[in-house]
Each structure stands twice: as C-alpha cells, then as structure tokens.
DNA sequence: CGAAATTGTGGGAACGGTTGCGGGAATGTT
DNA sequence: AACATTCCCGCAACCGTTCCCACAATTTCG
C-alpha cells in the first residue's frame, strides 16, 4: 500500500494536457480557460489528489512548520502555552513540532540544531533554567530565522518576547500579605541567575520598601526548585529569633509543599503563617486551605507568542524587531492568606 | 538575511568537482577517494553546510514527521503521553507535530486531513470522547498509513493500540472499597457510548458480583464529565432510601469534585462515604483527604505508542498489525478510602 | 602485453510541484 | 486582408538531493 500518491502528472495524463496547465488550474487563477480549470478540479477530486507539501516547500524554501522548544510539556504552564501557540498558528496553516529540553541546556541546543536541519520556518523558545550561553540562539538569529522567546528570555537579544509580569506579581502578593497585617515576610526564590527569579525578588523588595518594612536577607532563600530545599528553608526560618509570619514564593509547587509542611507541624494557616504562590496552578485551588496565588495566563502567553511569530513570518516585523509583551496577571486570594 | 542556504552545489563549485561526488562524500562511504571525502567534509564544515531535509523527503517520499492528534494537551494525561511519544521517537530522528481536536470530532477530522497534506509519515491518535464515525481513520488505514491509537480506540480497526487497564482499574478500586467494609457502592461513570467507560463500568460490576453484592442501576450515573452533573449525581444518591457508603468514579476530576461537595456538606470521608478515582491526577495527592486512585502510567503509554509507531515505520510490523498493549496500573490508597 | 576487473568521477534523470517564456490560434483593429 | 493583441497552453528550467549509468584511469590477471 501507500502506493504512488496521486500527482498533478497523473491528472495531466488522464486529461491529456500538460502538468503546467494542471498546476495553473489548481493555483493561479489567471491564464486558464474556465472549462479546463473545471475539468482539472473535477478530476483532482475524483482521483483524491493531494498536493505534496514537501515539493512545494522545496520550491518556496519553507516548511510551514514552527519549532517549539520548551523544557517540559508535562508542566501545566508549558502545556497551556503550547496549546495557545498551536491554536493561533494552525489557523494560518502552520504546524508546530514540539521538542523538550528536559531542563538541560545541552538538550536545548541539540533540539534547536535538529529542528534547523528539518527546515522549520521559525522558532518559539523557552530556555532552560540553567541556560546561560545564548550563542546557539544568536546564531539562529544571525541566520535570519524568525525567533520568539517567552517566559525565560535572553534580554539582550533583539527579538519579540512574551513574559509574565514577574515584578508586579510578587509586588502584588507581597503587598497583599502586608495588608493582611503580616510584618515579617519571607521569600522562597529561585536560582540567582534566573532572570524571572530576579525580577520577582525585586517586586518583593520594592513592596516591602514602599511599606517601610526593612529588607532582611535572612528571610530570602534561593532554591533550585527542589522539594528538599523547601523543607530546609522552612526549618531555617522557624529557627530564627524572629521567625516570619508570612511566606511569599515565586512558584506554586513550593508554596503547596510549604502548606503541607506547615500543616504537619500544626502551624495555623494563615493566622500564624500566611502563604502565597505564583502561577495559580491547578493545585492551588485544590489544596486546603486554598493557596493565594498570582494567576498568570499561560494560554494567552502562547497566543501572543504565536501572533508575534506570524507577524515575523509575514514580514510585518523585521527579524530583529525587539518588542516585549508583559502579560498581566491577577492575584487570586484564597484561604492561605485571608 | 536568510539568504541562499549553502547547498552541495556550492561545495562542488568551490572544490571544482561535481555535486554527485559531494553527495557521495557526505553519504555513501564507498566509491570515493578518501582525500576527496576529507576535502568535502572540511569544506562542508567551513561553509556550515546543512542538508535540506525537504529535498531528501521529496526523494524518499517521507518527512520523518509524525502527526499526534489528541483532544487537549492541557490535560496532564495527554501531556504525559505526548512527552513519552516525543522522547521515544526523537531518538530515531522523528519529530512530532501536535494537533488538538478540543474534543470536537469535526476538528479531529480536519486535523487529520491537514496533517495528511503535509505528508506526515504516520499518525498517533486518541479520539474525541464523541467520535463515533471512524471513516476518516479507516481511510488513512486504507491508504497504508502507519497508524497507532491509544486510550480511546476503535476496537474493530486492525492497528496497534495502547490502552489503560480500564476493566482492571475499576475492578480493583471497587474491590478495595468492598474490603474496606463498604456495602453500597455508587459509580460515577462517563458517556454510555465511550468504550473506556463501558469497560470500567464492567470492572465495577464484576467486582460487585464476585463479592455477592447485587448490582443496583440506581447507583450508576452516566455523565459527560461536567461538574454540574457530578453535583446532581451526588444529590440523587443522597436522596435515596438507601444511600451509598462509597463512590467509585471513572475519572479523578469527578472524584475531586465529589470530595469538595461532601466536605461542604459535612459528610465524613471515608467513614460515612468513601471515594475513589481513576488516573491519579496530581490533584489526588494534594486534596485532603488524599484521593485513593488507580494510577495509570500515561508516560509509558506514550512510550509504547511511540515504539509501535517505530515498528510500523521500519516495516517490522505490517500496517494492519493488530496488537494491543494493556498498560497495567496500580491502586494508590489514600485517606479518602482508608 | 592486451583484456578484464576495479575504482573514482561526472552527467543526468528523478522526486512533485511552480513559473517565465514563447508559440499558435482566435479575435480585434485598421 | 494584413497586422497587432489577447488568451491558453506546452516546454523547460528550477528547488536540493540521491542514485543509476557511463566513462576514463588504473590495477589485476591470464
């Protein structure tokens, strides 16, 4: 089976005309006798003709395929973004191929190389948490590939970017805890070099400052998003002379873990210790008490990234167009802080 | 930019040899003078030559791309499966393009048509909950496309399939509730025509029967997985003369919803009402009490589906090879039943 | 030493389409 | 009636690569 797919040559032969005429009938609307065109269309339908996109791609030097490189499709955040991208670009006839870096910078590089070989028309990328070297991306950009990055970006690269409102997210949550009467607020942060983490820490700092609360660096713990580090951070905080009465986190999974630990210790939430997260993961509304969390809209991030890409592809933007959308979120207040 | 990618002709011109020779140097190891080969390889690296897969695909009539059609990438179950597929096939140099049907049979059909146009080499499909007409799939199969389906399958189609252990899952959970001393066990099921739902209902029935508990069809409610229907079902059960003391569900989201409703009503879990789910969603371990649930291994389902596809592509299996893997799971017992 | 086998290379067809160019028939213009 | 114009259509080149075939040069063998 899978024998000889029908080609325009088959149609031409059956109709006793040349393949150019068939091609014109199927594409170009000019320079073709209406009756001929009808005949071709009819025959095409009859034989169930389907154009070979590979051949077309070879001519146009495009594949109408976009490479999407993400750390892990199993994270709800990325799944939602992928969904948004896919829905956006598929309406214009683009497909997306997914590659996962599994948070490995090497894998990220390999994936991009492989996608380049298969001649994708553009890249939508979210870097690994540990990606420090952006040479592979700069290379792509130098070659003129349409490029969009989101969430974890390389700020100096002149390409469209879509990010969450990192600063404002933690500014808002921190302020919320202060308004709830909390005086000493700890922060569970991410890796020091991660831009998104830095921005969120800044939001936290500025909120404290604006409310006249001194910044205490003992209250900030940097993690690599590991469960064990969350437990260790909590122990450290609780052993302080002046332990915190509220904890902000820059990611929900950490906040969820904290709530579990606090409950096990019999510490009352939110009265003895308030907790707030970032991301509004599905878990936030399931755990008890509900987790107050800054809700991002990852699906929208995907939609915007997809639109940026379409604009680049249609040359509406030049490839070095350096635009950035900061995707606003909103604080969802639940029992963990109220 | 993105000007004239380097081709073998460029290499040939620079070296003053023919493109056939260059091609041989880069692929075929025979019939080529070692020095010539070296020179070509060196020049290729120097010019940063990258083969054009489109051209290759045109010759081989393959794209080394697989179409993955799923209802919704945002569901953790599908995300995990996609991840498994991607990891499996990418090692052999295949890419996957994702299309979402959003549970719409029409969209499913359109997606498959579009993927066929772009000449994917095979399809890995999970049908919509409402897909009743499988003509589009049969058409694909008739054309000789490698085809693998998972989770929601069309049983009569002679293609490899990967499914969860639907029957055994509900058999095990039901039996577990019986062993916990429950005498009247209700079942929150899915749509009547959905095969997976039917199989799970059967598991429930057989477990009851083997333990001498009469089947009461008042205790079985068929839903379309809508939240409102869960609430309605619970109301109905509680208003019965002999209300149930345990509830099995065929999906975790329903069980989670039930737990929330029961807690709100002040009904003690598990003493007054035990609850069990299917799927071991992330939520199952977060909600309180923890939800007893039959854990599937969706990532493994993806891996197996990917392997089936690779076997089909390498002609190890004929396209009409009708094999089926039932992916065993295990009951995770938590507070909702213990 | 001449015929045959081997080896490295170039030419060109093929994959399935698009597209510029030119030719021939039909029509329009003087 | 002679010429210009239009309108369809076929020819052939092209996209980048593989691969079969032919051919020349070199080696092997009788």
């Amino acid at each position: 089976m899978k024998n000889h797919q029908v080609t325009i040559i088959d149609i031409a032969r059956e109709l006793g005309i040349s393949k150019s005429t068939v091609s014109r009938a199927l594409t170009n609307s000019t320079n073709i006798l209406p009756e001929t065109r009808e005949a071709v269309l009819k025959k095409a339908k009859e034989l169930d003709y389907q154009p070979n996109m590979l051949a077309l791609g070879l001519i146009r030097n495009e594949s109408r395929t976009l490479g999407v490189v993400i750390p892990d499709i199993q994270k709800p955040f990325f799944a939602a973004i992928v969904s948004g991208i896919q829905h956006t670009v598929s309406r214009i006839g683009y497909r997306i191929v997914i590659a996962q870096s599994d948070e490995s910078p090497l894998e990220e590089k390999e994936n991009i190389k492989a996608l380049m070989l298969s001649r994708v028309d553009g890249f939508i990328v979210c870097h690994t948490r540990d990606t420090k070297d952006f040479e592979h991306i700069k290379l792509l950009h130098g070659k003129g590939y349409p490029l969009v990055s989101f969430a974890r970006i390389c700020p100096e690269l002149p390409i469209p970017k879509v990010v969450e409102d990192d600063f404002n997210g933690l500014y808002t949550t921190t302020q919320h805890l202060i308004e709830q009467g909390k005086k000493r607020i700890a922060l569970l942060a991410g890796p020091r070099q991660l831009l998104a983490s830095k921005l969120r820490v800044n939001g936290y700092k500025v909120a404290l400052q604006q409310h006249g609360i001194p910044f205490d660096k003992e209250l900030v713990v940097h993690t690599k998003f590991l469960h064990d580090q969350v437990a260790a951070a909590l122990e450290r905080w609780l052993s302080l002379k002046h332990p915190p009465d509220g904890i902000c986190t820059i990611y929900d999974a950490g906040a969820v873990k904290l709530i579990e630990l606090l409950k096990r210790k019999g510490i009352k939430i939110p009265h003895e210790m308030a907790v707030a997260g970032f991301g509004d993961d599905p878990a936030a509304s399931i755990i008890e008490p509900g987790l107050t969390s800054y809700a991002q809209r990852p699906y929208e991030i995907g939609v915007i990234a997809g639109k940026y890409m379409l604009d680049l592809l249609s040359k509406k933007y030049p490839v070095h167009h350096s635009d950035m959308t900061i995707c606003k979120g909103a604080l969802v207040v639940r029992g963990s802080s109220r």
Side-chain angles (χ1 to χ4, degrees), chain A:
Chain A
M1 302 295 148
K2 203 180 181 181
N3 42 18
H4 188 60
Q5 289 268 11
V6 179
T7 73
I8 56 166
I9 301 182
D10 297 318
I11 300 180
R13 193 183 327 107
E14 292 232 1
L15 258 45
I17 59 180
S18 80
K19 63 174 183 169
S20 349
T21 307
V22 175
S23 171
R24 264 187 292 263
L26 294 169
T27 59
N28 195 352
S29 54
T30 65
N31 283 348
I32 180 88
L33 198 66
E35 300 130 55
T36 315
R37 156 185 228 101
E38 289 307 318
V40 169
L41 259 41
K42 190 175 155 218
K43 183 60 79 177
K45 183 161 249 174
E46 181 188 324
L47 298 180
D48 190 26
Y49 164 76
Q50 302 189 331
N52 188 325
M53 291 305 176
L54 291 173
L56 234 172
L58 184 57
I59 293 173
R60 300 212 202 294
N61 197 28
E62 66 167 26
S63 58
R64 291 193 87 73
T65 299
L66 268 23
V68 176
V69 182
I70 52 172
D72 179 4
I73 186 79
Q74 293 197 58
K75 294 249 174 69
F77 177 68
F78 292 118
I81 288 179
V82 166
S83 184
I85 296 174
Q86 199 258 322
H87 282 140
T88 306
V89 303
S90 73
R91 264 180 290 129
I92 320 293
Y94 279 89
R95 287 166 297 284
I96 59 170
V97 338
I98 305 288
Q100 302 180 85
S101 63
D102 300 318
E103 298 287 1
S104 146
L106 178 65
E107 195 65 25
E108 176 183 322
K109 252 170 98 169
E110 297 289 332
N111 279 332
I112 287 178
K113 210 192 289 176
L115 288 171
M116 207 162 62
L117 278 186
S118 61
R119 290 291 203 277
V120 297
D121 295 341
F123 288 88
I124 302 181
V125 180
C126 176
H127 294 288
T128 293
R129 285 196 289 248
D130 303 323
T131 302
K132 289 161 203 157
D133 171 24
F134 295 95
E135 283 312 310
H136 53 302
I137 293 284
K138 288 177 185 160
L139 194 80
L140 274 186
H141 187 247
K143 292 200 177 197
Y145 273 96
L147 216 51
V148 174
S149 86
F150 65 89
R152 303 178 193 154
I153 59 169
C154 170
E156 76 224 43
L157 219 63
I159 57 174
K161 306 172 189 72
V162 191
V163 294
E164 317 159 56
D165 199 352
D166 295 303
F167 176 91
N168 200 46
L170 257 100
Y171 176 84
T172 309
T173 22
T174 307
Q175 179 170 275
H176 165 71
L177 289 193
I178 295 170
E179 285 168 355
Q180 297 293 312
K182 298 301 174 184
K183 304 291 180 202
R184 255 177 92 66
I185 298 170
L187 175 64
L188 186 70
R192 278 176 209 283
Q193 93 285 353
L194 189 65
L195 179 63
S197 177
K198 281 188 227 166
L199 292 171
R200 293 180 202 184
V201 172
N202 280 345
Y204 160 85
K205 283 183 183 170
V206 170
L208 289 184
Q209 191 190 334
Q210 287 196 357
H211 289 78
I213 298 181
F215 171 71
D216 178 352
K217 74 172 193 291
E218 286 230 82
L219 289 179
V220 176
V221 171
H222 290 272
T223 72
K224 289 184 175 179
F225 303 107
L226 301 175
H227 269 355
D228 293 351
Q229 297 177 305
V230 176
L234 182 59
E235 290 305 325
R236 220 176 94 192
W237 286 325
L238 293 180
S239 69
L240 289 176
K241 202 159 26 168
H242 298 294
D245 53 2
I247 307 174
C248 283
T249 72
I250 71 156
Y251 68 113
D252 270 3
V256 167
K257 182 74 186 170
L258 276 175
I259 290 182
E260 284 173 4
L261 292 168
L262 288 169
K263 283 202 294 190
R264 205 170 302 156
K265 286 179 182 294
I267 297 175
K268 297 266 182 303
I269 306 171
H271 310 96
E272 296 172 22
M273 185 78 82
V275 179
F278 188 105
D280 198 31
D281 277 8
S285 60
I286 292 169
I287 198 167
E288 205 150 345
L291 173 64
T292 292
S293 185
Y294 189 77
Q296 341 163 49
R297 287 156 34 239
Y299 184 88
E300 269 68 34
I301 293 180
V303 170
I304 295 167
K307 280 186 184 156
Y308 270 140
M309 178 52 71
L310 293 177
D311 285 344
L312 289 176
L313 289 167
S314 66
K315 312 281 184 200
K316 198 165 142 189
Y317 291 160
V319 286
H320 56 273
H321 181 88
S322 180
D323 198 1
M324 176 149 109
T325 297
I326 296 175
C327 218
K328 289 246 173 294
L331 189 67
V332 180
V333 178
R334 298 199 181 88
S336 74
S337 71
R338 182 171 49 199

